[in-house]
Short mmCIF file of all heavy atoms in Angstrom, two decimals:
data_model
loop_
_atom_site.label_atom_id
_atom_site.label_comp_id
_atom_site.label_asym_id
_atom_site.label_seq_id
_atom_site.Cartn_x
_atom_site.Cartn_y
_atom_site.Cartn_z
N MET A 108 0.83 -1.18 0.00
CA MET A 108 0.00 0.00 0.00
C MET A 108 0.89 1.25 0.00
O MET A 108 1.44 1.63 1.02
CB MET A 108 -0.88 -0.02 1.23
CG MET A 108 -1.93 0.99 1.22
SD MET A 108 -3.25 0.34 2.21
CE MET A 108 -3.76 1.68 3.12
N ALA A 109 1.05 1.83 -1.16
CA ALA A 109 1.90 3.01 -1.31
C ALA A 109 1.14 4.27 -0.89
O ALA A 109 -0.06 4.40 -1.12
CB ALA A 109 2.35 3.14 -2.75
N SER A 110 1.86 5.17 -0.26
CA SER A 110 1.22 6.42 0.16
C SER A 110 1.18 7.41 -1.01
O SER A 110 2.04 7.41 -1.88
CB SER A 110 2.00 7.03 1.32
OG SER A 110 3.31 7.31 0.93
N LYS A 111 0.14 8.25 -1.00
CA LYS A 111 -0.01 9.27 -2.04
C LYS A 111 0.67 10.55 -1.59
O LYS A 111 0.57 10.93 -0.42
CB LYS A 111 -1.49 9.57 -2.27
CG LYS A 111 -2.19 8.64 -3.23
CD LYS A 111 -3.66 8.95 -3.29
CE LYS A 111 -3.96 9.96 -4.35
NZ LYS A 111 -5.41 10.18 -4.52
N PRO A 112 1.37 11.23 -2.47
CA PRO A 112 1.97 12.52 -2.08
C PRO A 112 0.89 13.57 -1.86
O PRO A 112 -0.17 13.54 -2.48
CB PRO A 112 2.87 12.87 -3.27
CG PRO A 112 2.30 12.12 -4.42
CD PRO A 112 1.68 10.88 -3.85
N ILE A 113 1.20 14.48 -1.00
CA ILE A 113 0.28 15.58 -0.71
C ILE A 113 0.38 16.60 -1.84
O ILE A 113 1.48 17.05 -2.19
CB ILE A 113 0.60 16.24 0.63
CG1 ILE A 113 0.43 15.23 1.76
CG2 ILE A 113 -0.30 17.44 0.87
CD1 ILE A 113 0.89 15.74 3.10
N THR A 114 -0.75 16.96 -2.43
CA THR A 114 -0.77 17.95 -3.50
C THR A 114 -1.68 19.11 -3.13
O THR A 114 -2.59 18.97 -2.32
CB THR A 114 -1.25 17.33 -4.83
OG1 THR A 114 -2.56 16.82 -4.63
CG2 THR A 114 -0.33 16.21 -5.29
N SER A 115 -1.44 20.21 -3.75
CA SER A 115 -2.24 21.41 -3.51
C SER A 115 -3.57 21.33 -4.25
O SER A 115 -3.62 20.86 -5.39
CB SER A 115 -1.46 22.64 -3.99
OG SER A 115 -2.26 23.79 -3.92
N PRO A 116 -4.66 21.79 -3.63
CA PRO A 116 -5.93 21.82 -4.35
C PRO A 116 -5.98 22.91 -5.42
O PRO A 116 -6.85 22.90 -6.28
CB PRO A 116 -6.97 22.08 -3.26
CG PRO A 116 -6.21 22.70 -2.15
CD PRO A 116 -4.80 22.20 -2.23
N VAL A 117 -5.03 23.84 -5.37
CA VAL A 117 -4.95 24.94 -6.34
C VAL A 117 -3.70 24.72 -7.19
O VAL A 117 -2.61 24.48 -6.65
CB VAL A 117 -4.85 26.30 -5.61
CG1 VAL A 117 -4.73 27.43 -6.60
CG2 VAL A 117 -6.05 26.50 -4.70
N PRO A 118 -3.81 24.79 -8.51
CA PRO A 118 -2.62 24.62 -9.36
C PRO A 118 -1.55 25.68 -9.07
O PRO A 118 -1.86 26.84 -8.76
CB PRO A 118 -3.16 24.78 -10.77
CG PRO A 118 -4.61 24.52 -10.67
CD PRO A 118 -5.03 24.93 -9.30
N ASP A 119 -0.30 25.29 -9.16
CA ASP A 119 0.81 26.20 -8.87
C ASP A 119 0.81 27.43 -9.77
O ASP A 119 1.25 28.50 -9.35
CB ASP A 119 2.14 25.48 -9.02
CG ASP A 119 2.33 24.40 -7.97
OD1 ASP A 119 1.54 24.35 -7.01
OD2 ASP A 119 3.28 23.61 -8.12
N ALA A 120 0.33 27.30 -10.98
CA ALA A 120 0.34 28.43 -11.93
C ALA A 120 -0.63 29.53 -11.50
O ALA A 120 -0.50 30.67 -11.95
CB ALA A 120 -0.02 27.93 -13.32
N TRP A 121 -1.59 29.21 -10.66
CA TRP A 121 -2.57 30.21 -10.22
C TRP A 121 -2.10 31.05 -9.05
O TRP A 121 -2.74 32.05 -8.70
CB TRP A 121 -3.87 29.53 -9.82
CG TRP A 121 -4.66 28.93 -10.93
CD1 TRP A 121 -4.29 28.80 -12.24
CD2 TRP A 121 -5.96 28.36 -10.83
NE1 TRP A 121 -5.28 28.18 -12.95
CE2 TRP A 121 -6.32 27.90 -12.11
CE3 TRP A 121 -6.85 28.19 -9.79
CZ2 TRP A 121 -7.53 27.29 -12.36
CZ3 TRP A 121 -8.05 27.58 -10.04
CH2 TRP A 121 -8.39 27.14 -11.31
N TYR A 122 -1.01 30.68 -8.39
CA TYR A 122 -0.57 31.40 -7.19
C TYR A 122 -0.35 32.90 -7.42
O TYR A 122 -0.84 33.71 -6.63
CB TYR A 122 0.70 30.76 -6.62
CG TYR A 122 0.51 29.39 -6.01
CD1 TYR A 122 1.60 28.58 -5.76
CD2 TYR A 122 -0.74 28.91 -5.66
CE1 TYR A 122 1.46 27.32 -5.21
CE2 TYR A 122 -0.89 27.64 -5.11
CZ TYR A 122 0.21 26.86 -4.88
OH TYR A 122 0.06 25.62 -4.33
N PRO A 123 0.39 33.31 -8.45
CA PRO A 123 0.58 34.76 -8.63
C PRO A 123 -0.72 35.52 -8.90
O PRO A 123 -0.94 36.60 -8.36
CB PRO A 123 1.52 34.85 -9.84
CG PRO A 123 2.16 33.53 -9.97
CD PRO A 123 1.18 32.55 -9.42
N THR A 124 -1.59 34.93 -9.70
CA THR A 124 -2.86 35.58 -10.02
C THR A 124 -3.74 35.70 -8.78
O THR A 124 -4.32 36.76 -8.51
CB THR A 124 -3.60 34.79 -11.12
OG1 THR A 124 -2.73 34.63 -12.23
CG2 THR A 124 -4.86 35.50 -11.54
N LEU A 125 -3.82 34.62 -8.02
CA LEU A 125 -4.62 34.66 -6.80
C LEU A 125 -4.08 35.66 -5.80
O LEU A 125 -4.85 36.36 -5.13
CB LEU A 125 -4.68 33.27 -6.17
CG LEU A 125 -5.61 32.28 -6.82
CD1 LEU A 125 -5.43 30.90 -6.21
CD2 LEU A 125 -7.05 32.72 -6.67
N SER A 126 -2.76 35.76 -5.70
CA SER A 126 -2.19 36.71 -4.75
C SER A 126 -2.50 38.15 -5.15
O SER A 126 -2.87 38.96 -4.30
CB SER A 126 -0.68 36.51 -4.61
OG SER A 126 0.00 36.87 -5.78
N VAL A 127 -2.40 38.45 -6.43
CA VAL A 127 -2.69 39.83 -6.89
C VAL A 127 -4.16 40.17 -6.65
O VAL A 127 -4.48 41.24 -6.11
CB VAL A 127 -2.32 40.00 -8.38
CG1 VAL A 127 -2.88 41.28 -8.94
CG2 VAL A 127 -0.82 39.95 -8.55
N PHE A 128 -5.05 39.27 -7.03
CA PHE A 128 -6.48 39.55 -6.86
C PHE A 128 -6.87 39.65 -5.39
O PHE A 128 -7.59 40.57 -4.98
CB PHE A 128 -7.34 38.51 -7.56
CG PHE A 128 -7.40 38.67 -9.05
CD1 PHE A 128 -7.27 37.58 -9.88
CD2 PHE A 128 -7.57 39.92 -9.63
CE1 PHE A 128 -7.31 37.72 -11.26
CE2 PHE A 128 -7.63 40.07 -11.00
CZ PHE A 128 -7.49 38.98 -11.81
N MET A 129 -6.41 38.73 -4.58
CA MET A 129 -6.81 38.74 -3.17
C MET A 129 -6.20 39.93 -2.42
O MET A 129 -6.88 40.54 -1.59
CB MET A 129 -6.44 37.42 -2.50
CG MET A 129 -7.30 36.29 -2.95
SD MET A 129 -7.01 34.84 -1.97
CE MET A 129 -8.56 34.01 -2.18
N LEU A 130 -4.96 40.26 -2.71
CA LEU A 130 -4.37 41.43 -2.06
C LEU A 130 -5.04 42.72 -2.53
O LEU A 130 -5.24 43.63 -1.73
CB LEU A 130 -2.86 41.48 -2.33
CG LEU A 130 -2.03 40.47 -1.56
CD1 LEU A 130 -0.59 40.48 -2.06
CD2 LEU A 130 -2.08 40.73 -0.07
N SER A 131 -5.42 42.79 -3.80
CA SER A 131 -6.12 43.98 -4.30
C SER A 131 -7.48 44.15 -3.62
O SER A 131 -7.83 45.25 -3.18
CB SER A 131 -6.32 43.89 -5.80
OG SER A 131 -5.08 43.81 -6.46
N ILE A 132 -8.23 43.06 -3.52
CA ILE A 132 -9.54 43.12 -2.87
C ILE A 132 -9.37 43.49 -1.40
O ILE A 132 -10.11 44.32 -0.86
CB ILE A 132 -10.29 41.79 -3.04
CG1 ILE A 132 -10.66 41.58 -4.50
CG2 ILE A 132 -11.53 41.75 -2.17
CD1 ILE A 132 -11.19 40.20 -4.82
N GLY A 133 -8.39 42.90 -0.73
CA GLY A 133 -8.14 43.21 0.68
C GLY A 133 -7.76 44.66 0.90
O GLY A 133 -8.21 45.30 1.85
N LEU A 134 -6.92 45.18 0.02
CA LEU A 134 -6.52 46.59 0.15
C LEU A 134 -7.68 47.54 -0.14
O LEU A 134 -7.82 48.58 0.51
CB LEU A 134 -5.34 46.89 -0.77
CG LEU A 134 -4.01 46.27 -0.33
CD1 LEU A 134 -2.95 46.50 -1.39
CD2 LEU A 134 -3.57 46.84 1.00
N LEU A 135 -8.54 47.19 -1.10
CA LEU A 135 -9.72 48.01 -1.36
C LEU A 135 -10.68 48.01 -0.17
O LEU A 135 -11.23 49.06 0.20
CB LEU A 135 -10.44 47.52 -2.61
CG LEU A 135 -9.77 47.84 -3.95
CD1 LEU A 135 -10.50 47.15 -5.09
CD2 LEU A 135 -9.73 49.34 -4.17
N LEU A 136 -10.88 46.85 0.43
CA LEU A 136 -11.75 46.78 1.60
C LEU A 136 -11.14 47.53 2.79
O LEU A 136 -11.86 48.19 3.55
CB LEU A 136 -12.02 45.33 1.98
CG LEU A 136 -12.96 44.59 1.06
CD1 LEU A 136 -12.96 43.10 1.36
CD2 LEU A 136 -14.37 45.15 1.18
N THR A 137 -9.83 47.46 2.93
CA THR A 137 -9.17 48.21 4.00
C THR A 137 -9.31 49.71 3.77
O THR A 137 -9.58 50.47 4.71
CB THR A 137 -7.67 47.82 4.07
OG1 THR A 137 -7.58 46.41 4.27
CG2 THR A 137 -6.97 48.54 5.19
N ALA A 138 -9.16 50.14 2.53
CA ALA A 138 -9.33 51.56 2.22
C ALA A 138 -10.76 52.01 2.49
O ALA A 138 -10.98 53.09 3.05
CB ALA A 138 -8.96 51.83 0.77
N SER A 139 -11.74 51.19 2.12
CA SER A 139 -13.13 51.56 2.39
C SER A 139 -13.40 51.61 3.88
O SER A 139 -14.18 52.45 4.35
CB SER A 139 -14.09 50.60 1.69
OG SER A 139 -14.11 49.35 2.33
N PHE A 140 -12.76 50.73 4.65
CA PHE A 140 -12.91 50.76 6.11
C PHE A 140 -12.37 52.07 6.68
O PHE A 140 -13.02 52.71 7.50
CB PHE A 140 -12.17 49.57 6.73
CG PHE A 140 -12.19 49.56 8.23
CD1 PHE A 140 -13.31 49.09 8.90
CD2 PHE A 140 -11.10 49.98 8.96
CE1 PHE A 140 -13.33 49.07 10.29
CE2 PHE A 140 -11.12 49.96 10.34
CZ PHE A 140 -12.23 49.50 11.00
N PHE A 141 -11.17 52.48 6.23
CA PHE A 141 -10.60 53.72 6.72
C PHE A 141 -11.42 54.93 6.30
O PHE A 141 -11.59 55.88 7.08
CB PHE A 141 -9.15 53.87 6.26
CG PHE A 141 -8.18 53.02 7.04
CD1 PHE A 141 -7.30 52.19 6.38
CD2 PHE A 141 -8.16 53.05 8.41
CE1 PHE A 141 -6.41 51.40 7.09
CE2 PHE A 141 -7.27 52.27 9.13
CZ PHE A 141 -6.39 51.44 8.47
N ILE A 142 -11.92 54.93 5.09
CA ILE A 142 -12.75 56.04 4.63
C ILE A 142 -14.03 56.11 5.45
O ILE A 142 -14.48 57.20 5.84
CB ILE A 142 -13.04 55.91 3.12
CG1 ILE A 142 -11.77 56.16 2.33
CG2 ILE A 142 -14.14 56.86 2.68
CD1 ILE A 142 -11.87 55.81 0.87
N TYR A 143 -14.63 54.95 5.73
CA TYR A 143 -15.85 54.90 6.55
C TYR A 143 -15.58 55.46 7.94
O TYR A 143 -16.38 56.22 8.49
CB TYR A 143 -16.36 53.46 6.63
CG TYR A 143 -17.55 53.28 7.53
CD1 TYR A 143 -18.82 53.70 7.13
CD2 TYR A 143 -17.43 52.67 8.76
CE1 TYR A 143 -19.92 53.53 7.94
CE2 TYR A 143 -18.52 52.50 9.58
CZ TYR A 143 -19.75 52.93 9.18
OH TYR A 143 -20.85 52.76 9.99
N GLU A 144 -14.45 55.08 8.53
CA GLU A 144 -14.12 55.56 9.87
C GLU A 144 -13.84 57.06 9.89
O GLU A 144 -14.18 57.74 10.85
CB GLU A 144 -12.90 54.81 10.41
CG GLU A 144 -13.16 53.36 10.73
CD GLU A 144 -14.13 53.19 11.88
OE1 GLU A 144 -14.04 53.95 12.86
OE2 GLU A 144 -14.98 52.30 11.78
N ALA A 145 -13.23 57.57 8.84
CA ALA A 145 -12.85 58.98 8.82
C ALA A 145 -14.03 59.89 8.49
O ALA A 145 -14.05 61.05 8.92
CB ALA A 145 -11.74 59.20 7.81
N THR A 146 -15.00 59.39 7.74
CA THR A 146 -16.07 60.28 7.29
C THR A 146 -17.37 60.16 8.08
O THR A 146 -18.23 61.03 7.96
CB THR A 146 -16.39 60.00 5.81
OG1 THR A 146 -16.76 58.64 5.65
CG2 THR A 146 -15.20 60.32 4.93
N SER A 147 -17.55 59.13 8.87
CA SER A 147 -18.80 58.99 9.63
C SER A 147 -18.59 59.48 11.06
O SER A 147 -17.51 59.36 11.63
CB SER A 147 -19.28 57.54 9.63
OG SER A 147 -18.34 56.72 10.27
N SER A 148 -19.65 60.04 11.61
CA SER A 148 -19.57 60.52 12.99
C SER A 148 -19.74 59.35 13.95
O SER A 148 -20.16 58.26 13.56
CB SER A 148 -20.65 61.58 13.25
OG SER A 148 -21.92 60.98 13.14
N ARG A 149 -19.43 59.58 15.21
CA ARG A 149 -19.52 58.50 16.19
C ARG A 149 -20.95 57.99 16.36
O ARG A 149 -21.16 56.81 16.62
CB ARG A 149 -19.00 58.98 17.54
CG ARG A 149 -17.51 59.11 17.60
CD ARG A 149 -17.06 59.31 19.04
NE ARG A 149 -15.64 59.52 19.10
CZ ARG A 149 -14.79 58.56 19.36
NH1 ARG A 149 -15.21 57.35 19.56
NH2 ARG A 149 -13.49 58.82 19.39
N GLN A 150 -21.92 58.84 16.20
CA GLN A 150 -23.31 58.43 16.37
C GLN A 150 -23.81 57.60 15.20
O GLN A 150 -24.75 56.81 15.36
CB GLN A 150 -24.22 59.66 16.53
CG GLN A 150 -23.99 60.44 17.81
CD GLN A 150 -22.80 61.38 17.73
OE1 GLN A 150 -22.33 61.72 16.65
NE2 GLN A 150 -22.29 61.79 18.89
N ASN A 151 -23.25 57.77 14.03
CA ASN A 151 -23.73 57.08 12.83
C ASN A 151 -22.97 55.80 12.49
O ASN A 151 -23.32 55.13 11.53
CB ASN A 151 -23.67 58.03 11.62
CG ASN A 151 -24.61 59.19 11.77
OD1 ASN A 151 -25.60 59.11 12.49
ND2 ASN A 151 -24.30 60.29 11.12
N ARG A 152 -21.95 55.47 13.28
CA ARG A 152 -21.17 54.27 12.98
C ARG A 152 -21.92 53.00 13.39
O ARG A 152 -22.67 52.99 14.35
CB ARG A 152 -19.84 54.31 13.72
CG ARG A 152 -18.90 55.33 13.17
CD ARG A 152 -17.57 55.24 13.85
NE ARG A 152 -16.71 56.34 13.41
CZ ARG A 152 -15.66 56.76 14.07
NH1 ARG A 152 -15.32 56.17 15.19
NH2 ARG A 152 -14.95 57.75 13.61
N SER A 153 -21.69 51.96 12.63
CA SER A 153 -22.30 50.66 12.91
C SER A 153 -21.20 49.67 13.26
O SER A 153 -20.28 49.42 12.45
CB SER A 153 -23.07 50.17 11.68
OG SER A 153 -23.44 48.83 11.86
N LEU A 154 -21.29 49.09 14.45
CA LEU A 154 -20.29 48.14 14.89
C LEU A 154 -20.29 46.90 14.00
O LEU A 154 -19.22 46.37 13.66
CB LEU A 154 -20.52 47.73 16.34
CG LEU A 154 -19.54 46.72 16.93
CD1 LEU A 154 -18.13 47.28 16.93
CD2 LEU A 154 -19.97 46.32 18.33
N ALA A 155 -21.46 46.46 13.58
CA ALA A 155 -21.55 45.27 12.73
C ALA A 155 -20.85 45.51 11.39
O ALA A 155 -20.11 44.65 10.91
CB ALA A 155 -23.01 44.90 12.50
N LYS A 156 -21.06 46.69 10.80
CA LYS A 156 -20.41 46.99 9.51
C LYS A 156 -18.90 47.06 9.67
O LYS A 156 -18.16 46.57 8.82
CB LYS A 156 -20.95 48.31 8.95
CG LYS A 156 -20.35 48.64 7.61
CD LYS A 156 -20.95 49.87 6.98
CE LYS A 156 -20.28 50.12 5.65
NZ LYS A 156 -20.84 51.21 4.91
N GLU A 157 -18.43 47.63 10.78
CA GLU A 157 -17.00 47.72 11.02
C GLU A 157 -16.40 46.33 11.17
O GLU A 157 -15.35 46.03 10.59
CB GLU A 157 -16.72 48.54 12.27
CG GLU A 157 -17.04 50.01 12.13
CD GLU A 157 -16.83 50.77 13.42
OE1 GLU A 157 -16.25 50.20 14.37
OE2 GLU A 157 -17.24 51.93 13.49
N LEU A 158 -17.04 45.47 11.95
CA LEU A 158 -16.52 44.12 12.18
C LEU A 158 -16.53 43.28 10.91
O LEU A 158 -15.56 42.55 10.63
CB LEU A 158 -17.31 43.43 13.28
CG LEU A 158 -17.11 43.98 14.69
CD1 LEU A 158 -18.05 43.28 15.67
CD2 LEU A 158 -15.67 43.82 15.13
N ILE A 159 -17.60 43.37 10.14
CA ILE A 159 -17.69 42.58 8.91
C ILE A 159 -16.66 43.04 7.90
O ILE A 159 -15.95 42.23 7.30
CB ILE A 159 -19.12 42.64 8.34
CG1 ILE A 159 -20.07 41.86 9.24
CG2 ILE A 159 -19.17 42.11 6.92
CD1 ILE A 159 -21.53 42.04 8.91
N THR A 160 -16.55 44.35 7.71
CA THR A 160 -15.58 44.88 6.76
C THR A 160 -14.15 44.53 7.17
O THR A 160 -13.34 44.10 6.35
CB THR A 160 -15.72 46.41 6.61
OG1 THR A 160 -17.07 46.72 6.28
CG2 THR A 160 -14.79 46.96 5.55
N GLY A 161 -13.85 44.68 8.45
CA GLY A 161 -12.52 44.35 8.95
C GLY A 161 -12.21 42.87 8.82
O GLY A 161 -11.09 42.49 8.44
N ALA A 162 -13.17 42.01 9.11
CA ALA A 162 -12.95 40.56 9.03
C ALA A 162 -12.75 40.10 7.59
O ALA A 162 -11.85 39.31 7.30
CB ALA A 162 -14.12 39.82 9.67
N VAL A 163 -13.57 40.61 6.68
CA VAL A 163 -13.45 40.20 5.28
C VAL A 163 -12.13 40.71 4.69
O VAL A 163 -11.44 39.98 3.97
CB VAL A 163 -14.67 40.70 4.46
CG1 VAL A 163 -14.49 40.45 2.99
CG2 VAL A 163 -15.94 40.01 4.95
N ALA A 164 -11.76 41.94 5.02
CA ALA A 164 -10.48 42.48 4.54
C ALA A 164 -9.32 41.67 5.10
O ALA A 164 -8.36 41.37 4.37
CB ALA A 164 -10.33 43.94 4.94
N SER A 165 -9.42 41.26 6.35
CA SER A 165 -8.37 40.47 6.97
C SER A 165 -8.22 39.11 6.30
O SER A 165 -7.10 38.64 6.07
CB SER A 165 -8.68 40.29 8.46
OG SER A 165 -7.73 39.46 9.07
N VAL A 166 -9.33 38.48 5.96
CA VAL A 166 -9.29 37.17 5.29
C VAL A 166 -8.64 37.31 3.92
O VAL A 166 -7.75 36.51 3.55
CB VAL A 166 -10.70 36.56 5.19
CG1 VAL A 166 -10.73 35.39 4.25
CG2 VAL A 166 -11.19 36.15 6.57
N PHE A 167 -9.05 38.31 3.15
CA PHE A 167 -8.47 38.49 1.82
C PHE A 167 -6.99 38.83 1.89
O PHE A 167 -6.19 38.31 1.10
CB PHE A 167 -9.23 39.56 1.03
CG PHE A 167 -10.44 39.03 0.32
CD1 PHE A 167 -11.71 39.30 0.78
CD2 PHE A 167 -10.31 38.26 -0.82
CE1 PHE A 167 -12.82 38.81 0.14
CE2 PHE A 167 -11.42 37.76 -1.49
CZ PHE A 167 -12.67 38.04 -1.01
N LEU A 168 -6.58 39.69 2.83
CA LEU A 168 -5.17 40.02 2.96
C LEU A 168 -4.35 38.82 3.44
O LEU A 168 -3.22 38.62 3.01
CB LEU A 168 -4.99 41.21 3.92
CG LEU A 168 -5.43 42.56 3.39
CD1 LEU A 168 -5.38 43.61 4.49
CD2 LEU A 168 -4.58 42.99 2.22
N GLY A 169 -4.94 38.02 4.31
CA GLY A 169 -4.23 36.83 4.80
C GLY A 169 -4.00 35.80 3.70
O GLY A 169 -2.88 35.30 3.53
N PHE A 170 -5.06 35.48 2.96
CA PHE A 170 -4.90 34.51 1.88
C PHE A 170 -4.07 35.08 0.73
O PHE A 170 -3.31 34.36 0.08
CB PHE A 170 -6.26 34.02 1.37
CG PHE A 170 -6.84 32.94 2.22
CD1 PHE A 170 -7.93 33.20 3.03
CD2 PHE A 170 -6.29 31.67 2.22
CE1 PHE A 170 -8.47 32.20 3.83
CE2 PHE A 170 -6.83 30.66 3.01
CZ PHE A 170 -7.92 30.93 3.83
N GLY A 171 -4.18 36.37 0.49
CA GLY A 171 -3.34 37.00 -0.54
C GLY A 171 -1.87 36.92 -0.17
O GLY A 171 -1.02 36.64 -1.02
N SER A 172 -1.55 37.15 1.11
CA SER A 172 -0.17 37.03 1.56
C SER A 172 0.31 35.59 1.46
O SER A 172 1.47 35.33 1.09
CB SER A 172 -0.05 37.51 3.01
OG SER A 172 -0.43 38.85 3.11
N LEU A 173 -0.55 34.64 1.80
CA LEU A 173 -0.19 33.23 1.69
C LEU A 173 0.15 32.86 0.25
O LEU A 173 1.18 32.24 -0.02
CB LEU A 173 -1.34 32.35 2.19
CG LEU A 173 -1.18 30.85 1.94
CD1 LEU A 173 -0.08 30.28 2.82
CD2 LEU A 173 -2.48 30.13 2.16
N PHE A 174 -0.70 33.26 -0.69
CA PHE A 174 -0.44 32.93 -2.09
C PHE A 174 0.77 33.69 -2.63
O PHE A 174 1.47 33.19 -3.51
CB PHE A 174 -1.68 33.18 -2.95
CG PHE A 174 -2.71 32.10 -2.81
CD1 PHE A 174 -3.96 32.38 -2.29
CD2 PHE A 174 -2.43 30.80 -3.20
CE1 PHE A 174 -4.90 31.39 -2.15
CE2 PHE A 174 -3.37 29.79 -3.07
CZ PHE A 174 -4.61 30.08 -2.53
N LEU A 175 1.04 34.88 -2.10
CA LEU A 175 2.26 35.59 -2.50
C LEU A 175 3.50 34.85 -2.04
O LEU A 175 4.47 34.71 -2.79
CB LEU A 175 2.26 37.02 -1.94
CG LEU A 175 3.43 37.90 -2.32
CD1 LEU A 175 3.45 38.12 -3.83
CD2 LEU A 175 3.35 39.22 -1.59
N LEU A 176 3.47 34.34 -0.82
CA LEU A 176 4.58 33.53 -0.33
C LEU A 176 4.76 32.26 -1.16
O LEU A 176 5.87 31.87 -1.52
CB LEU A 176 4.38 33.18 1.14
CG LEU A 176 4.59 34.30 2.13
CD1 LEU A 176 4.12 33.86 3.52
CD2 LEU A 176 6.04 34.72 2.19
N LEU A 177 3.65 31.60 -1.46
CA LEU A 177 3.72 30.38 -2.26
C LEU A 177 4.22 30.66 -3.68
O LEU A 177 4.99 29.88 -4.24
CB LEU A 177 2.33 29.71 -2.33
CG LEU A 177 1.81 29.13 -1.02
CD1 LEU A 177 0.38 28.63 -1.21
CD2 LEU A 177 2.71 28.01 -0.53
N ALA A 178 3.79 31.78 -4.26
CA ALA A 178 4.24 32.13 -5.61
C ALA A 178 5.73 32.44 -5.65
O ALA A 178 6.39 32.19 -6.66
CB ALA A 178 3.45 33.33 -6.14
N SER A 179 6.26 32.97 -4.55
CA SER A 179 7.68 33.31 -4.53
C SER A 179 8.57 32.14 -4.11
O SER A 179 9.79 32.29 -4.01
CB SER A 179 7.93 34.51 -3.63
OG SER A 179 7.57 34.19 -2.30
N GLY A 180 7.96 31.00 -3.81
CA GLY A 180 8.74 29.81 -3.49
C GLY A 180 8.91 29.53 -2.02
O GLY A 180 9.63 28.61 -1.65
N VAL A 181 8.28 30.30 -1.15
CA VAL A 181 8.33 30.05 0.28
C VAL A 181 7.13 29.20 0.64
O VAL A 181 6.01 29.69 0.74
CB VAL A 181 8.31 31.37 1.09
CG1 VAL A 181 8.38 31.10 2.58
CG2 VAL A 181 9.43 32.27 0.65
N TYR A 182 7.34 27.92 0.80
CA TYR A 182 6.22 26.99 1.03
C TYR A 182 5.97 26.87 2.53
O TYR A 182 6.79 26.33 3.26
CB TYR A 182 6.51 25.64 0.39
CG TYR A 182 6.57 25.74 -1.11
CD1 TYR A 182 7.78 25.73 -1.78
CD2 TYR A 182 5.41 25.92 -1.84
CE1 TYR A 182 7.82 25.86 -3.16
CE2 TYR A 182 5.44 26.05 -3.22
CZ TYR A 182 6.65 26.02 -3.86
OH TYR A 182 6.69 26.16 -5.22
N VAL A 183 4.87 27.40 2.95
CA VAL A 183 4.49 27.39 4.37
C VAL A 183 3.38 26.40 4.62
O VAL A 183 2.63 26.04 3.79
CB VAL A 183 4.08 28.79 4.85
CG1 VAL A 183 5.29 29.70 4.88
CG2 VAL A 183 2.99 29.38 3.98
#
């Protein structure tokens, strides 16, 4: 019974493209978060919107950084 090698569910050729797209989306969401914080008053802010925007931006920046590392040959 031979063991199977571990393979990535995403093809290696997609790493650079995924990193660019995910980092771009994450940076856009981060910019919208900062703009929202700077332009809305304390009474009009929504905690739910802040948490959702921050969490989604964090996920995209995290996976974008992961794919950037993988594209550059740093296998984590």
